[in-house]
Tab-separated table of all heavy atoms in Angstrom:
chain	number	residue	atom	x	y	z
A	164	LYS	N	85.544	-21.053	10.399
A	164	LYS	CA	84.998	-22.214	11.108
A	164	LYS	C	83.569	-22.470	10.656
A	164	LYS	O	83.194	-23.591	10.316
A	164	LYS	CB	85.054	-21.974	12.616
A	164	LYS	CG	84.414	-23.070	13.447
A	164	LYS	CD	84.478	-22.716	14.929
A	164	LYS	CE	83.838	-23.809	15.745
A	164	LYS	NZ	82.586	-23.436	16.336
A	165	ALA	N	82.759	-21.415	10.619
A	165	ALA	CA	81.366	-21.552	10.192
A	165	ALA	C	81.264	-21.797	8.694
A	165	ALA	O	80.417	-22.575	8.241
A	165	ALA	CB	80.581	-20.302	10.585
A	166	ALA	N	82.133	-21.170	7.910
A	166	ALA	CA	82.069	-21.303	6.456
A	166	ALA	C	82.399	-22.711	5.988
A	166	ALA	O	81.733	-23.259	5.109
A	166	ALA	CB	83.020	-20.296	5.799
A	167	LEU	N	83.418	-23.324	6.566
A	167	LEU	CA	83.911	-24.603	6.067
A	167	LEU	C	83.273	-25.822	6.717
A	167	LEU	O	83.265	-26.903	6.138
A	167	LEU	CB	85.430	-24.682	6.228
A	167	LEU	CG	86.221	-23.657	5.426
A	167	LEU	CD1	87.697	-23.757	5.758
A	167	LEU	CD2	85.979	-23.830	3.938
A	168	GLY	N	82.765	-25.691	7.923
A	168	GLY	CA	82.175	-26.851	8.609
A	168	GLY	C	83.215	-27.914	8.881
A	168	GLY	O	84.160	-28.116	8.120
A	169	GLY	N	83.063	-28.609	9.983
A	169	GLY	CA	83.985	-29.686	10.344
A	169	GLY	C	85.229	-29.216	11.070
A	169	GLY	O	85.903	-30.008	11.712
A	170	TYR	N	85.542	-27.941	10.957
A	170	TYR	CA	86.698	-27.387	11.658
A	170	TYR	C	86.263	-26.901	13.035
A	170	TYR	O	85.127	-26.471	13.234
A	170	TYR	CB	87.296	-26.201	10.893
A	170	TYR	CG	88.245	-26.594	9.799
A	170	TYR	CD1	87.805	-26.740	8.491
A	170	TYR	CD2	89.589	-26.811	10.067
A	170	TYR	CE1	88.682	-27.084	7.477
A	170	TYR	CE2	90.472	-27.156	9.061
A	170	TYR	CZ	90.017	-27.288	7.763
A	170	TYR	OH	90.890	-27.626	6.768
A	171	ASP	N	87.187	-26.952	13.982
A	171	ASP	CA	86.921	-26.414	15.310
A	171	ASP	C	88.243	-25.972	15.907
A	171	ASP	O	89.311	-26.257	15.376
A	171	ASP	CB	86.264	-27.461	16.206
A	171	ASP	CG	85.420	-26.833	17.304
A	171	ASP	OD1	85.534	-25.613	17.547
A	171	ASP	OD2	84.646	-27.569	17.931
A	172	PHE	N	88.165	-25.281	17.000
A	172	PHE	CA	89.366	-24.869	17.704
A	172	PHE	C	89.902	-26.075	18.462
A	172	PHE	O	89.125	-26.882	18.973
A	172	PHE	CB	89.057	-23.712	18.655
A	172	PHE	CG	88.595	-22.484	17.922
A	172	PHE	CD1	87.245	-22.160	17.857
A	172	PHE	CD2	89.508	-21.670	17.275
A	172	PHE	CE1	86.819	-21.042	17.169
A	172	PHE	CE2	89.081	-20.552	16.584
A	172	PHE	CZ	87.732	-20.234	16.524
A	173	PRO	N	91.241	-26.229	18.543
A	173	PRO	CA	91.796	-27.382	19.246
A	173	PRO	C	91.304	-27.457	20.684
A	173	PRO	O	91.050	-28.527	21.205
A	173	PRO	CB	93.307	-27.176	19.204
A	173	PRO	CG	93.562	-26.094	18.232
A	173	PRO	CD	92.280	-25.358	18.010
A	174	MET	N	91.173	-26.320	21.288
A	174	MET	CA	90.614	-26.239	22.643
A	174	MET	C	89.425	-25.293	22.566
A	174	MET	O	89.584	-24.124	22.221
A	174	MET	CB	91.650	-25.700	23.626
A	174	MET	CG	92.814	-26.637	23.864
A	174	MET	SD	94.044	-25.922	24.993
A	174	MET	CE	93.057	-25.424	26.384
A	175	PRO	N	88.217	-25.781	22.838
A	175	PRO	CA	87.054	-24.887	22.750
A	175	PRO	C	87.123	-23.774	23.785
A	175	PRO	O	87.751	-23.915	24.834
A	175	PRO	CB	85.867	-25.812	23.014
A	175	PRO	CG	86.438	-27.041	23.641
A	175	PRO	CD	87.884	-27.126	23.249
A	176	VAL	N	86.473	-22.678	23.471
A	176	VAL	CA	86.379	-21.566	24.405
A	176	VAL	C	85.657	-22.067	25.658
A	176	VAL	O	84.653	-22.764	25.562
A	176	VAL	CB	85.612	-20.389	23.764
A	176	VAL	CG1	85.434	-19.246	24.748
A	176	VAL	CG2	86.326	-19.901	22.517
A	177	PRO	N	86.163	-21.759	26.843
A	177	PRO	CA	85.519	-22.234	28.077
A	177	PRO	C	84.055	-21.801	28.169
A	177	PRO	O	83.678	-20.735	27.676
A	177	PRO	CB	86.364	-21.589	29.184
A	177	PRO	CG	87.689	-21.321	28.550
A	177	PRO	CD	87.376	-20.994	27.115
A	178	ASP	N	83.243	-22.647	28.791
A	178	ASP	CA	81.832	-22.339	28.984
A	178	ASP	C	81.661	-20.981	29.644
A	178	ASP	O	82.422	-20.602	30.539
A	178	ASP	CB	81.154	-23.405	29.856
A	178	ASP	CG	80.997	-24.736	29.129
A	178	ASP	OD1	81.018	-24.729	27.877
A	178	ASP	OD2	80.847	-25.759	29.807
A	179	GLY	N	80.671	-20.249	29.172
A	179	GLY	CA	80.374	-18.944	29.738
A	179	GLY	C	81.072	-17.796	29.027
A	179	GLY	O	80.868	-16.637	29.396
A	180	PHE	N	81.910	-18.106	28.013
A	180	PHE	CA	82.637	-17.069	27.289
A	180	PHE	C	82.387	-17.233	25.794
A	180	PHE	O	82.347	-18.361	25.285
A	180	PHE	CB	84.140	-17.148	27.571
A	180	PHE	CG	84.461	-16.959	29.033
A	180	PHE	CD1	84.634	-18.057	29.864
A	180	PHE	CD2	84.563	-15.683	29.574
A	180	PHE	CE1	84.914	-17.899	31.207
A	180	PHE	CE2	84.839	-15.512	30.920
A	180	PHE	CZ	85.018	-16.614	31.739
A	181	LEU	N	82.238	-16.116	25.077
A	181	LEU	CA	82.026	-16.170	23.633
A	181	LEU	C	83.332	-16.316	22.867
A	181	LEU	O	83.377	-16.931	21.810
A	181	LEU	CB	81.285	-14.915	23.147
A	181	LEU	CG	79.838	-14.790	23.621
A	181	LEU	CD1	79.245	-13.466	23.149
A	181	LEU	CD2	79.010	-15.958	23.109
A	182	THR	N	84.397	-15.717	23.392
A	182	THR	CA	85.699	-15.752	22.716
A	182	THR	C	86.799	-15.987	23.739
A	182	THR	O	86.592	-15.839	24.949
A	182	THR	CB	86.000	-14.420	21.988
A	182	THR	OG1	86.195	-13.390	22.967
A	182	THR	CG2	84.879	-14.035	21.026
A	183	TRP	N	87.998	-16.332	23.241
A	183	TRP	CA	89.154	-16.478	24.127
A	183	TRP	C	89.531	-15.133	24.749
A	183	TRP	O	90.020	-15.075	25.872
A	183	TRP	CB	90.337	-17.081	23.374
A	183	TRP	CG	90.242	-18.568	23.309
A	183	TRP	CD1	89.891	-19.323	22.227
A	183	TRP	CD2	90.484	-19.495	24.377
A	183	TRP	NE1	89.888	-20.653	22.564
A	183	TRP	CE2	90.257	-20.795	23.876
A	183	TRP	CE3	90.861	-19.345	25.700
A	183	TRP	CZ2	90.408	-21.938	24.651
A	183	TRP	CZ3	91.012	-20.489	26.490
A	183	TRP	CH2	90.782	-21.758	25.954
A	184	ASP	N	89.318	-14.045	24.002
A	184	ASP	CA	89.619	-12.730	24.574
A	184	ASP	C	88.701	-12.425	25.756
A	184	ASP	O	89.144	-11.839	26.761
A	184	ASP	CB	89.521	-11.631	23.510
A	184	ASP	CG	90.743	-11.606	22.604
A	184	ASP	OD1	91.835	-12.020	23.049
A	184	ASP	OD2	90.621	-11.148	21.459
A	185	ASP	N	87.434	-12.828	25.660
A	185	ASP	CA	86.529	-12.654	26.806
A	185	ASP	C	87.055	-13.425	28.020
A	185	ASP	O	87.050	-12.921	29.145
A	185	ASP	CB	85.115	-13.147	26.467
A	185	ASP	CG	84.416	-12.282	25.437
A	185	ASP	OD1	84.841	-11.125	25.226
A	185	ASP	OD2	83.437	-12.775	24.836
A	186	TRP	N	87.503	-14.648	27.790
A	186	TRP	CA	88.053	-15.462	28.867
A	186	TRP	C	89.304	-14.797	29.454
A	186	TRP	O	89.461	-14.696	30.668
A	186	TRP	CB	88.382	-16.864	28.358
A	186	TRP	CG	89.057	-17.717	29.376
A	186	TRP	CD1	88.470	-18.487	30.344
A	186	TRP	CD2	90.472	-17.897	29.542
A	186	TRP	NE1	89.406	-19.116	31.093
A	186	TRP	CE2	90.657	-18.768	30.626
A	186	TRP	CE3	91.584	-17.390	28.880
A	186	TRP	CZ2	91.920	-19.152	31.063
A	186	TRP	CZ3	92.838	-17.768	29.314
A	186	TRP	CH2	92.999	-18.648	30.398
A	187	ALA	N	90.197	-14.334	28.553
A	187	ALA	CA	91.437	-13.702	29.008
A	187	ALA	C	91.149	-12.422	29.801
A	187	ALA	O	91.817	-12.140	30.797
A	187	ALA	CB	92.351	-13.402	27.818
A	188	ASP	N	90.134	-11.668	29.374
A	188	ASP	CA	89.741	-10.479	30.136
A	188	ASP	C	89.326	-10.871	31.555
A	188	ASP	O	89.731	-10.226	32.526
A	188	ASP	CB	88.576	-9.754	29.451
A	188	ASP	CG	88.987	-9.030	28.181
A	188	ASP	OD1	90.193	-8.807	27.971
A	188	ASP	OD2	88.080	-8.698	27.383
A	189	ALA	N	88.532	-11.933	31.662
A	189	ALA	CA	88.058	-12.383	32.972
A	189	ALA	C	89.212	-12.863	33.851
A	189	ALA	O	89.155	-12.753	35.076
A	189	ALA	CB	87.019	-13.487	32.810
A	190	GLN	N	90.264	-13.379	33.230
A	190	GLN	CA	91.432	-13.853	33.973
A	190	GLN	C	92.452	-12.742	34.204
A	190	GLN	O	93.515	-12.982	34.771
A	190	GLN	CB	92.121	-15.010	33.215
A	190	GLN	CG	91.209	-16.156	32.821
A	190	GLN	CD	90.404	-16.703	33.960
A	190	GLN	OE1	90.939	-16.986	35.024
A	190	GLN	NE2	89.101	-16.844	33.757
A	191	GLN	N	92.147	-11.547	33.697
A	191	GLN	CA	93.004	-10.369	33.818
A	191	GLN	C	94.385	-10.591	33.192
A	191	GLN	O	95.409	-10.148	33.716
A	191	GLN	CB	93.122	-9.931	35.279
A	191	GLN	CG	91.782	-9.571	35.882
A	191	GLN	CD	91.862	-9.154	37.330
A	191	GLN	OE1	92.850	-9.387	38.015
A	191	GLN	NE2	90.811	-8.504	37.803
A	192	ILE	N	94.386	-11.285	32.057
A	192	ILE	CA	95.636	-11.502	31.311
A	192	ILE	C	95.866	-10.276	30.436
A	192	ILE	O	95.005	-9.923	29.621
A	192	ILE	CB	95.560	-12.781	30.458
A	192	ILE	CG1	95.353	-14.001	31.366
A	192	ILE	CG2	96.807	-12.925	29.589
A	192	ILE	CD1	95.063	-15.289	30.616
A	193	PRO	N	96.990	-9.601	30.591
A	193	PRO	CA	97.255	-8.402	29.776
A	193	PRO	C	97.246	-8.739	28.283
A	193	PRO	O	97.689	-9.812	27.873
A	193	PRO	CB	98.643	-7.955	30.221
A	193	PRO	CG	98.877	-8.629	31.536
A	193	PRO	CD	98.083	-9.890	31.515
A	194	VAL	N	96.748	-7.802	27.495
A	194	VAL	CA	96.639	-8.005	26.048
A	194	VAL	C	97.985	-8.384	25.442
A	194	VAL	O	98.074	-9.270	24.587
A	194	VAL	CB	96.059	-6.738	25.366
A	194	VAL	CG1	96.129	-6.855	23.851
A	194	VAL	CG2	94.636	-6.487	25.828
A	195	GLU	N	99.064	-7.747	25.884
A	195	GLU	CA	100.383	-8.014	25.296
A	195	GLU	C	100.906	-9.414	25.613
A	195	GLU	O	101.868	-9.878	25.001
A	195	GLU	CB	101.400	-6.947	25.722
A	195	GLU	CG	101.701	-6.891	27.202
A	195	GLU	CD	100.714	-6.051	28.016
A	195	GLU	OE1	99.718	-5.543	27.466
A	195	GLU	OE2	100.954	-5.918	29.229
A	196	LYS	N	100.288	-10.124	26.553
A	196	LYS	CA	100.736	-11.480	26.899
A	196	LYS	C	99.834	-12.566	26.316
A	196	LYS	O	100.053	-13.741	26.535
A	196	LYS	CB	100.821	-11.645	28.411
A	196	LYS	CG	101.909	-10.800	29.020
A	196	LYS	CD	102.205	-11.194	30.424
A	196	LYS	CE	103.384	-10.354	30.922
A	196	LYS	NZ	103.833	-10.770	32.217
A	197	ARG	N	98.837	-12.174	25.549
A	197	ARG	CA	97.912	-13.136	24.947
A	197	ARG	C	98.447	-13.617	23.606
A	197	ARG	O	99.176	-12.894	22.927
A	197	ARG	CB	96.545	-12.486	24.729
A	197	ARG	CG	95.904	-12.032	26.018
A	197	ARG	CD	94.580	-11.373	25.746
A	197	ARG	NE	94.100	-10.721	26.969
A	197	ARG	CZ	92.966	-10.081	27.059
A	197	ARG	NH1	92.158	-10.004	26.013
A	197	ARG	NH2	92.609	-9.535	28.193
A	198	PRO	N	98.052	-14.822	23.215
A	198	PRO	CA	98.441	-15.292	21.875
A	198	PRO	C	97.878	-14.356	20.802
A	198	PRO	O	96.795	-13.795	20.977
A	198	PRO	CB	97.792	-16.674	21.766
A	198	PRO	CG	97.453	-17.064	23.159
A	198	PRO	CD	97.279	-15.798	23.949
A	199	THR	N	98.621	-14.181	19.742
A	199	THR	CA	98.188	-13.285	18.663
A	199	THR	C	97.680	-14.068	17.464
A	199	THR	O	97.764	-13.617	16.333
A	199	THR	CB	99.334	-12.360	18.234
A	199	THR	OG1	100.437	-13.173	17.823
A	199	THR	CG2	99.733	-11.427	19.343
């Protein structure tokens, strides 16, 4: 994303979180049920 510029995630990471995994941790979503 940073290397190519102009690209972004279809849905940005929610405010207050650095990554989707951080968000999923806060929502208590088990690792095995998260997108890979």
Side-chain angles (χ1 to χ4, degrees):
K164 176 182 180 251
L167 297 175
Y170 277 94
D171 206 346
F172 297 101
M174 292 178 52
V176 177
D178 289 338
F180 299 96
L181 292 176
T182 68
W183 277 105
D184 283 333
D185 292 342
W186 175 86
D188 288 343
Q190 307 308 311
Q191 300 179 344
I192 299 172
V194 172
E195 64 275 4
K196 293 194 176 186
R197 298 179 191 181
T199 58

